[in-house]
Structures are given as C-alpha cells and as structure tokens.
Amino acid sequence: MVCVIMDSRLVVIDRRSWCLSFTMEALLLSLLFLPGCMSRNAEYLTEGTGHLTQQEVARKWGPPSGREVLASGEMWTYTFQTTDSMEHPVTCDKYELRFDAQQVLTQWTSLAC
C-alpha cells in the first residue's frame, strides 16, 4: 500500500481505497479549518444579517464611506484597508450592506477594492 505525494498531488500506486480514504480524511480536516479563514468583518455581517441595525453597524464601524438611498431602504459601503509600516496597501476589504426600510441589515456583499 503506497501513496506518494508529487507536486502537491496524491499519486496512487497501490491500494487505491486506502489512498482515497486518506484523501477524504485530509479534505474533511481542511474543511474544519475553513470557517477560521472568514474575516471578522464577514463573520460579523453573516451573524448579523436579519437583525443588525444601521445604528449598531455605525456604532461599531463608524459612518459609511458611501451611502445610497434605495426604494426599499439604503445601501452602505465600507472599505477597510491595512497598510505596512511604509504606508503601502497590504489588504483591502470592501463591503456593500443593504438595509430595509426598518433599517435592518438584509444582505451584504464582499467586493474587490
């Protein structure tokens, strides 16, 4: 029973079922750590969709960088950018938040900066 990893790929030489089992275990383990990759901002919005209000978002994040009045509520835009010690951009996260007429977060989207 031999499995070899070549160029980051699992190559099956013998006993395919064992290697397939090993691959599935590795996949399942990696999925356990996937939610940890979600940014804190995205987690905040995901958990808050359906009950988070405009006032709560503004209290946590400050005023939005963009605001658009829609027929059914408002859309707010937030941009978060981190820089290194030389003020070069390192990461950038941009979010569009949609609020209904009762000022409750109904939907959000992550955008490229």
Side-chain angles (χ1 to χ4, degrees):
M1 112 178 41
V2 179
C3 292
V4 180
I5 298 177
M6 296 176 55
D7 298 325
S8 301
R9 294 184 317 170
L10 186 64
V11 178
V12 178
I13 296 174
D14 192 14
R15 303 265 179 169
R16 187 175 184 156
S17 63
W18 182 83
C19 293
L20 180 60
S21 173
F22 174 77
T23 303
M24 291 302 292
E25 288 173 9
L27 176 64
L28 290 173
L29 279 173
S30 67
L31 290 175
L32 288 174
F33 295 103
L34 187 61
C37 296
M38 184 184 291
S39 76
R40 287 185 181 149
N41 290 339
E43 188 174 352
Y44 172 69
L45 295 172
T46 298
E47 291 175 0
T49 300
H51 64 85
L52 201 57
T53 66
Q54 288 177 336
Q55 293 77 18
E56 292 168 322
V57 173
R59 194 173 350 188
K60 183 172 178 72
W61 289 354
S65 56
R67 179 179 280 172
E68 183 180 339
V69 176
L70 307 171
S72 61
E74 289 188 31
M75 183 173 63
W76 289 9
T77 305
Y78 281 93
T79 304
F80 301 98
Q81 189 168 5
T82 58
T83 59
D84 63 15
S85 60
M86 301 295 291
E87 297 298 318
H88 299 117
V90 177
T91 62
C92 184
D93 297 316
K94 186 174 183 177
Y95 301 97
E96 281 185 351
L97 284 61
R98 292 182 181 265
F99 296 93
D100 62 16
Q102 288 74 41
Q103 301 182 342
V104 174
L105 179 65
T106 57
Q107 181 183 6
W108 66 276
T109 306
S110 179
L111 303 170
C113 290

